[in-house]
């Protein structure tokens, strides 16, 4: 049969170690770095480096908690299964549907971004045409085989990594050669000569919120565990490399950017990558970075199709249209539903302005803070359970339960910053309303 009940099948383990490592690598790199770094630098100054390191540490602990849970049962299609197991089916219902709809809205925004980036080269072609073309192509890749998804994501991630390494290498060469720019001489001293903290530190808390948003999607590698070859080896290796990735790709890139010219020279509304490459005489800098952010948006859209399909398949519990796998062991029906919803973005963009999803995606971003916090809490409950005491203990989270409590406190702090920052308060309140509604709906779920 082309379709079989999910309860009789498992997702195919078609992702190699190479795929998973590159997915994990690319999962921490998005448009937040390529386009948003200028805003981050202007908000915090060189102190943004410390904020990335601190936030990165807590994200690493969150991922270690997730990793330990994943290896207790690598066959679970999503991490929501562990939330259900250790916090109850009601909590799993709330987090599962929140995560699914969050990725749907993010995918809508990324689809809109794809059309906008293509307009850079083809200004006369309607945005919605590009949106349909990209969505159709990525849908095709996602229903062929999980290895096709992995290969596509591998190359998307490679493009982002090459762009960042090019920035870092450029910075090193210019520092060693003391290259002169219109803003002065390239030097590491540019990191402190013009002050270390912007605005006397008044916007430091807001910078934590911005950096946290740059890490959204870091948990995506957890969605691949059930389709990864040799997860007991691959997942720990991928998660453990997060710290190195953060130091190289975020901290390294920002050090290079702020060494090439003083941080005070960067325009908050323009990509610092464009400013640097254009400043050293690469006239096609804007086009190059536009290509990189296009692939970053396409990568996020690709990941969204993968994630929403698996999440909806998991939420269906093997029942109904969405709870079936096809003969390739792919939840094609669940991907179909998610793709149709995401495609509505093209319709909305014809009827409304292109920023129609800004509000919704901001709500989703606030919801991710709660999702991460609940995930860490599930790990804490696992550590207190007989499963931990009597079972095989793989990939133990360092410092637990102390690091669990610290991470939850940090995430609570981020949520409070969102709630009491003027620009993010409305969307955070909407996120709270969403959770109240979902908790009310979860009362119908039987434990």
């Amino acid at each position: 049969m082309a379709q079989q009940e999910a309860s009789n099948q498992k997702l195919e383990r078609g992702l190699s170690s190479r795929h998973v490592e590159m997915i994990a690598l690319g999962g921490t790199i998005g448009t937040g770095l390529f386009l948003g770094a200028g805003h981050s630098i202007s908000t915090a100054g060189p102190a943004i480096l410390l904020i990335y390191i601190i936030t990165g540490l807590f994200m690493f602990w969150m991922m270690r908690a997730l990793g330990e849970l994943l290896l207790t049962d690598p066959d679970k299609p999503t991490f929501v299964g562990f939330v259900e197991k250790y916090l109850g089916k009601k909590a799993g219902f709330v987090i599962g549907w929140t995560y699914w709809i969050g990725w749907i809205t993010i995918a809508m925004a990324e689809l809109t971004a794809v059309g906008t980036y293509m307009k850079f080269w083809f200004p006369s072609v309607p945005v919605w045409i590009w949106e349909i073309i990209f969505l159709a192509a990525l849908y095709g890749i996602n229903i062929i085989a999980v290895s096709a998804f992995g290969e596509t994501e591998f190359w998307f991630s490679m493009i982002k990594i090459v762009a960042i390494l090019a920035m870092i290498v450029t910075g090193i060469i210019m520092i060693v050669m003391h290259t002169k720019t219109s803003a002065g001489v390239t030097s590491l001293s540019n990191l402190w000569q013009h002050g270390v903290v912007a605005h006397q530190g008044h916007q430091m808390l807001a910078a934590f919120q911005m950096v946290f948003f740059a890490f959204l999607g870091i948990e995506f590698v957890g969605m691949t565990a059930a389709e990864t070859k040799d997860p007991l080896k691959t997942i720990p290796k991928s998660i453990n490399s997060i710290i190195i990735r953060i130091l190289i790709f975020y901290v390294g890139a920002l050090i290079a950017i702020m060494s090439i010219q003083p941080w005070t020279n960067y325009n908050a509304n323009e990509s610092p990558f464009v400013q640097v490459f254009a400043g050293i005489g690469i006239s096609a800098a804007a086009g190059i970075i536009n290509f990189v952010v296009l692939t970053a948006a396409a990568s996020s859209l690709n990941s969204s199709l993968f994630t929403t399909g698996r999440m909806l398949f998991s939420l269906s519990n093997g029942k109904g249209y969405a709870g079936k796998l096809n003969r390739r062991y792919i939840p094609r029906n669940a991907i179909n539903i998610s793709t149709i919803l995401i495609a509505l973005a093209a319709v909305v963009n014809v009827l409304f302005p292109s920023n129609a999803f800004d509000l919704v995606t901001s709500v989703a971003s606030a919801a991710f803070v709660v999702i991460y916090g609940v995930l860490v809490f599930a790990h804490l409950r696992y550590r207190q359970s007989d499963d931990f005491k009597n079972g095989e203990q793989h990939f133990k989270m360092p410092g637990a339960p102390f690091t669990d409590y610290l991470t939850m406190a940090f995430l609570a702090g981020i949520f409070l910053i969102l709630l009491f920052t003027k620009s993010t308060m409305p969307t955070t309140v909407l996120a709270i309303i969403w959770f109240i509604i979902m908790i009310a709906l979860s009362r119908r779920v039987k434990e």
Side-chain angles (χ1 to χ4, degrees):
M1 292 176 62
Q3 301 285 341
Q4 297 181 27
E5 289 297 326
S7 57
N8 296 329
Q9 289 196 55
K10 293 180 180 179
L11 296 166
E12 182 186 12
R13 294 194 177 278
L15 294 175
S16 67
S17 175
R18 175 176 68 93
H19 291 147
V20 175
E21 287 176 26
M22 195 60 80
I23 287 169
L25 207 57
T28 54
I29 305 167
T31 53
L33 177 61
F34 293 109
L35 295 180
H39 190 37
S40 300
I41 291 169
S42 65
T43 300
I48 196 70
L49 297 171
L50 181 61
I51 294 174
Y52 265 104
I53 291 171
I54 292 171
T55 306
L57 176 62
F58 285 109
M59 290 296 98
F60 172 69
W61 282 343
M62 185 273 290
M63 288 300 295
R64 283 299 302 260
L66 173 59
E68 185 174 356
L69 286 173
L70 289 173
L71 296 194
T72 64
D73 185 0
D75 288 329
K76 286 193 185 299
T78 72
F79 62 80
V80 174
F82 301 103
V83 174
E84 283 188 353
K85 186 174 184 180
Y86 297 108
L87 300 181
K89 289 186 177 180
K90 288 183 173 64
F93 173 88
V94 173
I95 294 302
W97 286 108
T98 300
Y99 192 72
W100 180 72
I101 199 68
W103 269 104
I104 288 288
T105 56
I106 288 171
M108 286 178 164
E110 295 293 358
L111 187 60
T112 302
V114 164
T116 303
Y117 297 145
M118 288 303 294
K119 207 169 182 65
F120 178 87
W121 292 295
F122 305 98
S124 61
V125 179
V127 167
W128 66 268
I129 292 178
W130 293 116
E131 292 172 352
I132 296 300
I133 290 172
F134 271 81
L135 185 59
L138 293 175
Y139 167 78
I141 289 168
N142 271 270
I143 64 169
I144 291 172
V146 69
S147 57
F149 160 81
E151 197 64 29
T152 305
E153 203 57 30
F154 176 90
W155 291 106
F156 278 155
S157 296
M158 182 67 77
I159 291 168
K160 293 186 285 186
I161 290 165
V162 168
I164 294 174
L165 291 179
M167 170 64 78
I168 294 172
V169 170
T170 298
I172 292 172
I173 292 172
M174 292 178 72
I175 290 169
V176 171
M177 298 182 66
H178 299 289
T179 305
K180 289 184 179 180
T181 68
S182 58
V185 178
T186 301
S187 171
L188 282 173
S189 62
N190 283 330
L191 291 170
W192 58 83
Q193 278 188 344
H194 303 272
V196 176
V197 181
H199 310 290
Q200 289 78 49
H202 294 158
Q203 296 185 24
M204 289 291 282
L205 290 180
F208 269 100
Q209 162 229 317
M210 291 162 57
V211 170
F212 174 80
F213 286 161
F215 282 108
L216 288 186
I218 193 174
E219 83 296 336
F220 174 66
V221 69
M223 298 295 295
T224 67
E227 294 168 88
T228 300
K229 298 174 183 176
D230 195 8
L232 293 179
K233 178 182 178 182
T234 302
I235 296 298
K237 185 177 179 182
S238 298
I239 291 176
N240 277 338
S241 63
I242 285 174
I243 287 291
I244 300 300
R245 297 200 302 270
I246 291 168
L247 290 176
I248 293 175
F249 295 113
Y250 278 106
V251 177
L254 289 171
I255 287 175
I257 287 168
M258 291 185 286
S259 296
I260 290 172
Q261 65 180 31
W263 62 271
T264 50
N265 284 48
Y266 287 103
N267 183 347
N269 298 318
E270 187 178 359
S271 167
F273 282 71
V274 172
Q275 294 178 67
V276 166
F277 287 133
I280 61 175
I282 300 178
S283 57
I288 293 170
I289 299 304
N290 192 71
F291 173 71
V292 173
V293 295
L294 172 65
T295 59
S299 171
S300 181
L301 181 58
N302 194 35
S303 299
S304 297
L305 289 172
F306 182 95
T307 300
T308 54
R310 271 66 180 177
M311 183 58 70
L312 189 57
F313 165 71
S314 176
L315 290 168
S316 67
N317 293 315
K319 299 175 183 177
Y321 178 79
K324 298 177 181 178
L325 299 174
N326 66 6
R327 58 167 60 99
R328 295 178 184 271
Y329 303 98
I330 291 172
R332 188 177 67 185
N333 292 349
I335 294 174
N336 290 344
I337 294 171
S338 296
T339 303
I340 291 169
L341 288 175
I342 294 167
L344 291 176
V347 178
V348 174
N349 285 334
V350 172
L351 301 175
F352 300 101
S354 59
N355 62 353
F357 299 109
D358 287 354
L359 180 68
V360 184
T361 51
S362 296
V363 174
S365 297
F368 268 76
V369 183
V370 178
I371 291 170
Y372 291 166
V374 171
L375 178 58
V376 176
F377 185 49
H379 175 263
L380 185 64
R381 293 295 294 269
Y382 158 70
R383 279 299 191 98
Q384 297 167 347
S385 71
D386 290 336
D387 289 345
F388 174 74
K389 295 171 185 176
N390 303 326
E392 294 184 32
Q393 298 175 0
H394 298 290
F395 198 44
K396 291 171 66 177
M397 179 184 178
F402 181 65
T403 44
D404 283 313
Y405 290 119
L406 280 179
T407 304
M408 286 189 290
F410 172 78
L411 292 168
I414 294 292
F415 194 84
L416 289 175
I417 291 171
L418 292 171
L419 186 58
F420 293 105
T421 300
K422 187 176 180 180
S423 61
T424 55
M425 181 184 293
T427 53
T428 307
V429 170
L430 286 175
I432 293 172
I433 293 171
W434 164 265
F435 278 112
I436 291 172
I437 293 171
M438 292 305 295
I439 290 170
L441 291 174
S442 72
R443 291 183 177 181
R444 299 181 180 182
V445 178
K446 295 180 180 180
E447 292 289 354

